[in-house]
Amino acid sequence: MSNSVQSLEKEISRRRTFAIISHPDAGKTTLTERILHAGGAIQMAGSVRAKREQRRTRSDWMNIEKDRGISVVTSVMTFEYGGCIFNLLDTPGHEDFSEDTYRTLTAVDAAVMVIDAAKGIEARTRKLFEICRLRDIPIVTFINKMDREAQDPFDLLHEVASALALETTPLTWPVGRAAKFLGTYDLRKDSMRLKEEVVDNDERILQMQEEVELAKVGLPEFNLDDFNAGFLTPVFFGSAIKELGVADLLDALAEFGPSPRNQPSQERQVAANEASMTALVFKIQANMDPNHRDRIAFARICSGRLERGMKLKHTRTGKTFALHTPQFFFARDRQLAEEAFAGDVVGIPNHGTLRIGDTLTEGEDLQFTGVPYFAPEILRRVNLKDAMKAKKLKQALTELAEEGVVQLFKPQDGSAPIVGVVGVLQLDVLQTRLKHEYGVDITFDNISFSQARWVQGDKLTIERFINSNRSAIADDIDGDPVFLSTSDFMMQRAVDANKELSFHDIKQIGIGVTS
Ligand code: G4P
């Protein structure tokens, strides 16, 4: 093996790219802070909390979005720990922006699922978990808030296993409970990390030893292949706020937390250690810096090594461009990325050529698959105040839809465009950005449609269906037909009456629709 191949493999195998998923209040922000602290990126820790505080109320949120600098800070947090380079991808805290979270999950190799030890699995944990499962993303579980009244560890493990249909293997065990929580015992290393010294016959140690015996007999052993395949989750207990159990988690991620995975594409599986660079755009953010009107595409490098100045092929359009200014985002600064490796995330400034789901290569025709769009839960018609601005509105809506702010549907009957969102705050963002960035004033009209499904079938059958339902058909941003309906009941009626067609609530780039 040549030196360069060896060093490429070495760099890639030490990348750990992950996200933290949780139900609000389970402790994601606190754990993020403590992870950054343990990873030596202390100066950032305060800003994570500041952001959360500001996001709490709606008006503050709008301010923060105007001040793009702050969301940049935490888009990707990079630090070194245990000989590995960790890239922690931030996901929006607010449920209304869950689409952004789902897309970010397509750019990670693992997710840490934070569970509140008193509450167990909650609604949003389950939803986010399902998205991970869609892509077989390995999950590491962190049971948080062990310093408070908590459920019994065996009950918690059982709940994770049964609620998520996942094998659960504890790799640490809590020593003491609630106010007397002392730290953790490592089941594999037979060692303890405690916040204070205790005598051997301390009742908490004795209780732990008894429980660990039971756990070793009754619970499945850790199996790396099952973890990598997404069948098994290793479980860690801790208290983020007291920074207990956090080092156990990071040590495990460094030890076995997956290095960059193969990425599925329409053409083939792309292995991370291939020499040729490939990347997938999973997020677009516009006007991050009010001083430069720009648009940054966040791309995850899927294979090889990226080098500043290299020529890249944008496979959707077939165009080639030179990568002059790829950037890393550290703390409050951007920094030119001279080189980066599979697993890393770089920001690519552009003027609207790149959109979510795009693939970049050194020349090969590839389309990475799997970036999801979810059928929106709220549909509104866009009402333009000044008819002279129709053309501008059209361009603005297309650009903002490409960024993933909203989904855009063009009704086939020629009526005004419809936007679809998962959370109402997305509508506020759309309205504000149209006004501030494009000078277009709009309002939203309620419409009778409340459901949207992508329709699939053979060409003739689809054409027939479209012709007889034209007022309920719209084209999405790629021109794929979407059937709109006024209620669950009406949707089901259409499904039952058109057995030769299929109706889907998820569309995955490069794969098409699924449900
Ligand atoms: P989130 O990002 O998942 O929404 O959760 P976040 O970290 O903001 O934590 C939610 C609340 O739970 C916070 O309290 C936080 O301090 C607390 N918390 C997080 N981890 C632990 C833990 O290990 N033990 C205990 N006892 N509490 C924990 P808050 O009162 O809502 O906010 P704050 O006043 O602390 O800022």
Side-chain angles (χ1 to χ4, degrees):
M1 238 190 316
S2 78
N3 274 348
S4 67
V5 172
Q6 260 175 355
S7 73
L8 180 72
E9 298 220 335
K10 192 167 155 228
E11 282 302 333
I12 293 172
S13 65
R14 71 188 192 110
R15 264 34 189 198
R16 299 287 181 269
T17 302
F18 71 109
I20 303 180
I21 58 174
S22 76
H23 191 84
D25 268 357
K28 187 175 92 162
T29 312
T30 313
L31 182 63
T32 303
E33 278 180 11
R34 298 304 188 239
I35 284 178
L36 293 177
H37 182 248
I42 327 162
Q43 70 278 19
M44 279 192 263
S47 62
V48 179
R49 177 138 309 256
K51 186 192 73 170
R52 186 180 74 98
E53 294 306 326
Q54 277 161 307
R55 277 204 176 160
R56 280 212 159 150
T57 66
R58 180 176 163 135
S59 57
D60 278 348
W61 184 85
M62 292 305 284
N63 284 334
I64 218 154
E65 274 302 295
K66 275 184 220 148
D67 181 1
R68 296 278 156 168
I70 293 185
S71 35
V72 179
V73 171
T74 50
S75 285
V76 188
M77 293 163 275
T78 301
F79 59 92
E80 202 167 345
Y81 180 94
C84 292
I85 305 283
F86 282 77
N87 296 307
L88 171 52
L89 272 54
D90 189 36
T91 55
H94 200 294
E95 186 169 12
D96 278 13
F97 300 100
S98 48
E99 276 204 288
D100 218 19
T101 302
Y102 302 151
R103 290 190 292 251
T104 298
L105 288 175
T106 62
V108 300
D109 299 304
V112 171
M113 174 169 74
V114 183
I115 294 175
D116 181 322
K119 296 186 179 151
I121 301 280
E122 297 175 86
R124 210 160 129 65
T125 333
R126 190 189 295 261
K127 180 112 196 241
L128 289 164
F129 169 78
E130 278 161 13
I131 308 300
C132 293
R133 176 160 279 176
L134 206 62
R135 298 213 77 204
D136 302 321
I137 296 173
I139 308 272
V140 177
T141 302
F142 186 81
I143 298 191
N144 190 30
K145 304 197 187 183
M146 289 304 295
D147 60 305
R148 277 198 195 158
E149 281 307 318
Q151 294 182 44
D152 177 71
F154 286 102
D155 290 346
L156 283 162
L157 292 166
H158 180 71
E159 186 180 340
V160 174
S162 61
L164 306 179
L166 203 58
E167 297 255 291
T168 53
T169 300
L171 292 190
T172 63
W173 201 264
V175 181
R177 300 289 192 283
K180 291 185 170 174
F181 180 53
L182 263 185
T184 53
Y185 167 79
D186 188 316
L187 275 82
R188 292 180 308 157
K189 296 181 192 141
D190 189 25
S191 61
M192 283 191 286
R193 276 188 164 124
L194 304 181
K195 65 177 174 168
E196 60 196 67
E197 276 190 31
V198 286
V199 290
D200 282 353
N201 63 354
D202 184 290
E203 65 181 88
R204 290 167 291 189
I205 305 276
L206 298 176
Q207 182 193 7
M208 175 276 290
Q209 284 168 338
E210 213 171 282
E211 288 171 344
V212 163
E213 284 313 308
L214 286 173
K216 280 186 173 161
V217 179
L219 295 165
E221 261 184 50
F222 182 65
N223 175 307
L224 192 58
D225 292 338
D226 288 351
F227 164 66
N228 283 330
F231 300 147
L232 177 151
T233 182
V235 179
F236 297 86
F237 291 90
S239 160
I241 211 155
K242 299 208 164 0
E243 210 169 315
L244 292 171
V246 177
D248 297 333
L249 177 70
L250 281 175
D251 283 350
L253 287 171
E255 180 195 333
F256 63 74
S259 48
R261 305 162 10 114
N262 292 351
Q263 293 285 329
S265 78
Q266 261 175 349
E267 293 73 15
R268 62 189 186 86
Q269 287 277 326
V270 177
N273 60 4
E274 289 179 16
S276 189
M277 203 293 303
T278 60
L280 168 65
V281 175
F282 65 95
K283 179 185 169 102
I284 306 267
Q285 201 156 0
N287 308 326
M288 293 205 305
D289 180 346
N291 300 322
H292 322 86
R293 241 189 99 87
D294 62 358
R295 199 173 180 195
I296 302 279
F298 286 89
R300 179 210 151 99
I301 301 173
C302 301
S303 68
R305 172 173 172 270
L306 173 141
E307 208 181 310
R308 186 158 84 89
M310 75 198 305
K311 289 225 167 12
L312 293 186
K313 181 168 185 177
H314 178 219
T315 61
R316 181 169 56 81
T317 58
K319 294 202 174 113
T320 303
F321 67 95
L323 187 63
H324 291 303
T325 50
Q327 301 171 2
F328 286 130
F329 293 90
F330 289 123
R332 289 178 189 281
D333 299 323
R334 307 170 176 206
Q335 193 177 306
L336 274 181
E338 296 298 338
E339 66 168 7
F341 295 90
D344 290 337
V345 171
V346 294
I348 303 175
N350 69 104
H351 298 290
T353 33
L354 297 177
R355 65 152 113 149
I356 289 174
D358 280 355
T359 301
L360 303 170
T361 69
E362 289 189 48
E364 185 177 353
D365 278 317
L366 272 184
Q367 170 62 58
F368 286 116
T369 56
V371 176
Y373 284 95
F374 291 80
E377 286 156 28
I378 301 164
L379 294 162
R380 293 282 184 276
R381 201 176 295 276
V382 176
N383 182 9
L384 180 62
K385 288 190 176 156
D386 175 359
M388 299 294 285
K389 295 202 165 153
K391 206 169 153 204
K392 182 109 195 181
L393 175 69
K394 195 172 160 199
Q395 177 213 346
L397 283 176
T398 307
E399 287 185 14
L400 292 172
E402 281 175 1
E403 253 182 62
V405 175
V406 293
Q407 287 185 54
L408 178 62
F409 301 103
K410 293 177 193 150
Q412 287 212 352
D413 64 7
S415 55
I418 291 172
V419 291
V421 294
V422 173
V424 283
L425 276 184
Q426 286 177 272
L427 294 175
D428 289 3
V429 172
L430 176 68
Q431 199 173 29
T432 309
R433 291 192 54 187
L434 281 172
K435 188 175 168 66
H436 291 294
E437 294 167 30
Y438 296 90
V440 178
D441 269 316
I442 59 147
T443 52
F444 297 107
D445 289 339
N446 286 336
I447 48 175
S448 55
F449 297 126
S450 59
Q451 307 266 317
R453 293 287 180 273
W454 283 277
V455 192
Q456 208 175 33
D458 76 71
K459 207 166 160 222
L460 269 179
T461 322
I462 289 210
E463 269 169 24
R464 224 177 302 130
F465 177 74
I466 289 177
N467 283 333
S468 48
N469 293 280
R470 196 159 299 273
S471 62
I473 304 284
D475 292 328
D476 76 1
I477 192 165
D478 302 312
D480 291 331
V482 172
F483 175 65
L484 305 170
S485 133
T486 51
S487 65
D488 279 345
F489 175 76
M490 295 304 285
M491 184 58 77
Q492 193 54 46
R493 231 171 64 161
V495 172
D496 292 341
N498 296 280
K499 293 279 186 221
E500 64 293 4
L501 294 174
S502 51
F503 295 76
H504 303 270
D505 60 4
I506 301 176
K507 170 171 147 170
Q508 296 191 74
I509 291 177
I511 295 179
V513 289
T514 50
S515 51

